[in-house]
Amino acid sequence: MRVERAVRGVLGGVDDLVELAVPRTCGGCGAPRVRWCGRCEAALHDAPALICTTAPAGVPVWTLGRYDGARRRAVLQLKERGRGDLAVPLGRGLAHALLRLRGWGEFGLSSGPLVLVPAPTTAWAARRRGGDVVTAVCRAAARTAAPVQAMTVSPVLRSVGAAESVGLGAAARARNVRGTVRVRALPGPGTVVLVDDVVTTGATLAESVAVLARRGVTVAAAITLAAA
Ligand SMILES: [Zn+2]
């Protein structure tokens, strides 16, 4: 009994050390002493907006909002700064948006599960980030929605060999992703929703919808955490 208490004490001490080593700031606005603040939480809960992408995806493309402010900072901190904890608030925002869309009838009358299919990442990008961040956000969304809506996550898409597309125009981006998305397995049963972090031209979403269609999978809609 005493040993157990001692072990717990040591572990508690380690936690405290980690707290000291990692400065706690809000992942959305940089406010001190908190990892995520109420204002940034509220900023992620706007109603989703329908957007028009340069490369038509063939399905409605929704977004949680513009790629600025708390949304932009949180996505960057999650992807580039190792703030894996931010998958949770971003996942809550995603769950909230998907539940609204369901309420609006966007996914038809089916009351079955929503199947979240993360947009493809390359294996090296996922390794560099300690795992695929969009999949982590989808899993957090599924946990949030669980009491009211079944959501499953099917990370079945993989990107192979697409070069970095930053700085490319719409046509060049479309060429860049063509033929680079692979379907590793079929998603689970339910209404398939494609999920990505930031949409720019929509080329990756369009390619993903197309390769899934070729495998007989109908995508109901796409949704992104932000629109650049
Ligand atoms: Zn904040």
Side-chain angles (χ1 to χ4, degrees):
M1 216 47 180
R2 210 175 337 161
V3 172
E4 246 180 44
R5 247 200 314 272
V7 168
R8 267 205 301 272
V10 168
L11 290 178
V14 170
D15 260 1
D16 292 344
L17 286 178
V18 171
E19 287 291 332
L20 286 176
V22 183
R24 263 209 284 187
T25 57
C26 173
C29 67
R33 291 185 299 280
V34 58
R35 292 195 150 268
W36 186 249
C37 79
R39 254 196 9 214
C40 290
E41 178 74 13
L44 285 195
H45 286 234
D46 286 343
L50 191 58
I51 55 167
C52 193
T53 53
T54 318
V59 299
V61 179
W62 296 87
T63 188
L64 271 61
R66 286 173 58 88
Y67 190 45
D68 59 14
R71 205 173 287 107
R72 178 168 188 273
R73 191 181 157 104
V75 168
L76 285 174
Q77 295 268 313
L78 171 65
K79 287 173 69 172
E80 313 295 345
R81 302 278 167 193
R83 283 289 305 267
D85 60 303
L86 296 174
V88 174
L90 285 166
R92 272 198 303 271
L94 176 60
H96 178 88
L98 289 168
L99 293 175
R100 281 227 191 172
L101 291 175
R102 161 132 275 170
W104 294 345
E106 176 65 16
F107 305 130
L109 296 174
S110 155
S111 57
L114 290 182
V115 183
L116 309 186
V117 174
T121 47
T122 57
W124 73 264
R127 265 200 305 279
R128 191 165 62 89
R129 291 167 182 152
D132 174 15
V133 295
V134 177
T135 300
V137 171
C138 288
R139 292 198 198 288
R143 280 195 299 273
T144 298
V148 288
Q149 167 69 49
M151 280 185 203
T152 61
V153 183
S154 284
V156 296
L157 299 178
R158 180 61 75 217
S159 174
V160 287
E164 194 60 62
S165 59
V166 171
L168 294 182
R173 269 177 192 259
R175 275 196 305 277
N176 204 29
V177 298
R178 200 162 298 145
T180 64
V181 179
R182 300 278 184 276
V183 181
R184 296 186 303 164
L186 292 179
T191 303
V192 174
V193 179
L194 195 59
V195 182
D196 205 355
D197 48 8
V198 183
V199 62
T200 45
T201 64
T204 306
L205 294 178
E207 183 69 8
S208 301
V209 170
V211 295
L212 284 166
R214 286 202 287 275
R215 295 289 294 274
V217 177
T218 303
V219 175
I223 188 164
T224 72
L225 303 180

